[in-house]
Amino acid sequence: MSAHPIRRRRVLAGGLASLLLVGGGAVVAFRGDDNNAANASDGDGDESDAAGASTAQVTLKDLEEREELAGTLGYGETTDVSLSANGTITALPALGTIVDRGQTVAEVDGLPVTLWFGDRPFWRALGADVDDGPDIAEVEANLVALGYATSDSLTVDNEWTSATTTALKKWQKDQGKEQTGTFNPGDVVVQPGAIRIAELPSAVGAPANGVLAKATGATRQVTMDLDATKQSLVSLGQAVEVELPDGTILQGTIASIGTVATSSSTDPVTGKPTDPTIEVTVSLADPSLAGTLDAAPVTVRVVTSAATGVLAVPVDALLALSEGGYAIERVKSNGTTELVTVETGAFADGWVQVTGDVAEGDTVVVPK
């Protein structure tokens, strides 16, 4: 919170009180004697009738300060899905199709090309006579994941064995392919995870060699171009709230934070580059609650500071003192009031943390 909103009101301090309106509309008290506000709560403090003002109680609360950041709900950036095969594309998925491991990405010469998971593309034919390599482990990991072998029958490593050949032939049979026991790079498409088809730059009838589609991740997420100066507001794994355009609140977590600040646009007036930003990604606890929204503007709320189980009063109960600091006007048992100096802490939702000679349940004056 950048400013502490103090309402304009009268403050009694000592035998004579006068008012001064200062910047921001705060009222401070000037005393007619040498006493200061720190003595206002010692039993000899000033008294006034609290009638005509509303009151509130000192309450034990949890306070959280939040900052609102702009984000976009969607599926993230697109990546190229490439295919290196001989033949002709004979079928393509519809836009928006979600493709998981083992499912068909396209059809070439009437046969399916399926999605496998991996971190690297295949670059060579693989079989019983090839040298060891990490691409073999990638083949074996997918065959096990798809159920064509078990981890007991096929060890996932860099070595091609007879168990690898057996599992591959089972997969080839299910695909309607010739059971050669040899794997070719064009047999599958490799991506790190499930994908959603976003664009189809190739068409049915085109050669099956090149960019087959442009795809995003399969799960909706929120992306933010966060001002680089606000990077300290977020951390990996941090819980956040995401408000959708219809007011629905979803829970999320900071999933990634960019490390390079970029300025991708220019100010339309000055022509100068805009302030640099970093890309931040928020994963949703339950993406299905986001409905069918895509590329929708959302608000991301992050907690910038928190105070748990603290004494708090409405912000409007604070009084700014001429000598500095703050006080509250506490109602005594006889209906009169006394001025009590307090230290302020966290601010949130119209409440402020206070410490000093105050207790839970104390009644304080709040201007109407």
Side-chain angles (χ1 to χ4, degrees):
M1 183 173 293
S2 59
H4 304 163
I6 308 298
R7 290 180 63 96
R8 180 176 179 178
R9 59 175 298 192
R10 182 168 62 89
V11 177
L12 295 179
L16 177 64
S18 60
L19 299 177
L20 175 65
L21 183 64
V22 297
V27 175
V28 298
F30 285 89
R31 301 180 180 280
D33 56 26
D34 293 331
N35 293 332
N36 59 41
N39 296 322
S41 60
D42 62 5
D44 297 324
D46 307 301
E47 298 179 355
S48 68
D49 190 347
S54 61
T55 59
Q57 289 194 327
V58 178
T59 305
L60 199 64
K61 294 177 68 70
D62 295 339
L63 299 179
E64 290 184 341
E65 292 186 65
R66 295 179 175 88
E67 180 148 345
E68 295 188 345
L69 306 171
T72 302
L73 175 66
Y75 290 89
E77 296 183 354
T78 61
T79 58
D80 290 342
V81 177
S82 298
L83 181 62
S84 178
N86 296 318
T88 301
I89 298 174
T90 51
L92 287 167
L95 291 176
T97 299
I98 303 294
V99 184
D100 209 341
R101 184 185 345 228
Q103 295 180 340
T104 301
V105 180
E107 186 183 275
V108 174
D109 292 345
L111 295 176
V113 175
T114 56
L115 176 66
W116 278 13
F117 289 177
D119 296 326
R120 63 176 66 209
F122 292 109
W123 68 91
R124 60 175 180 163
L126 297 172
D129 58 350
V130 299
D131 295 333
D132 293 354
D135 49 349
I136 296 175
E138 197 163 82
V139 168
E140 293 174 338
N142 278 279
L143 291 172
V144 170
L146 292 170
Y148 293 100
T150 66
S151 56
D152 292 332
S153 64
L154 175 58
T155 301
V156 177
D157 56 19
N158 293 345
E159 181 184 3
W160 192 283
T161 66
S162 60
T164 314
T165 301
T166 298
L168 181 64
K169 285 183 176 181
K170 292 179 181 178
W171 176 78
Q172 288 174 328
K173 180 179 180 180
D174 276 357
Q175 296 294 299
K177 301 176 186 291
E178 184 180 356
Q179 299 172 52
T180 62
T182 301
F183 177 84
N184 294 304
D187 289 344
V188 299
V189 166
V190 179
Q191 289 290 308
I195 59 174
R196 172 180 174 270
I197 304 300
E199 299 178 36
L200 290 170
S202 295
V204 172
N209 192 357
V211 178
L212 180 71
K214 291 183 179 294
T216 65
T219 303
R220 265 172 298 195
Q221 60 186 14
V222 174
T223 55
M224 297 186 291
D225 289 327
L226 182 65
D227 191 318
T229 61
K230 296 185 177 182
Q231 184 174 356
S232 61
L233 296 179
V234 295
S235 59
L236 286 176
Q238 179 181 2
V240 299
E241 287 184 349
V242 177
E243 183 175 353
L244 304 183
D246 64 359
T248 300
I249 303 295
L250 303 182
Q251 302 304 311
T253 304
I254 300 295
S256 67
I257 303 173
T259 57
V260 179
T262 60
S263 182
S264 58
S265 60
T266 57
D267 188 292
V269 177
T270 65
K272 296 180 179 180
T274 56
D275 292 336
T277 61
I278 57 172
E279 185 173 285
V280 176
T281 301
V282 176
S283 61
L284 299 176
D286 188 350
S288 66
L289 297 179
T292 58
L293 293 174
D294 188 15
V298 296
T299 299
V300 179
R301 295 190 180 91
V302 299
V303 175
T304 56
S305 67
T308 303
V310 298
L311 294 176
V313 298
V315 172
D316 285 350
L318 287 180
L319 305 172
L321 301 173
S322 60
E323 62 269 34
Y326 296 95
I328 58 174
E329 193 173 354
R330 179 166 57 194
V331 180
K332 300 200 296 186
S333 59
N334 63 3
T336 59
T337 64
E338 59 185 349
L339 206 62
V340 181
T341 56
V342 292
E343 295 289 334
T344 60
F347 286 78
D349 301 324
W351 289 77
V352 57
Q353 176 187 356
V354 292
T355 55
D357 183 20
V358 292
E360 183 180 6
D362 282 353
T363 300
V364 298
V365 177
V366 182
K368 289 184 177 179

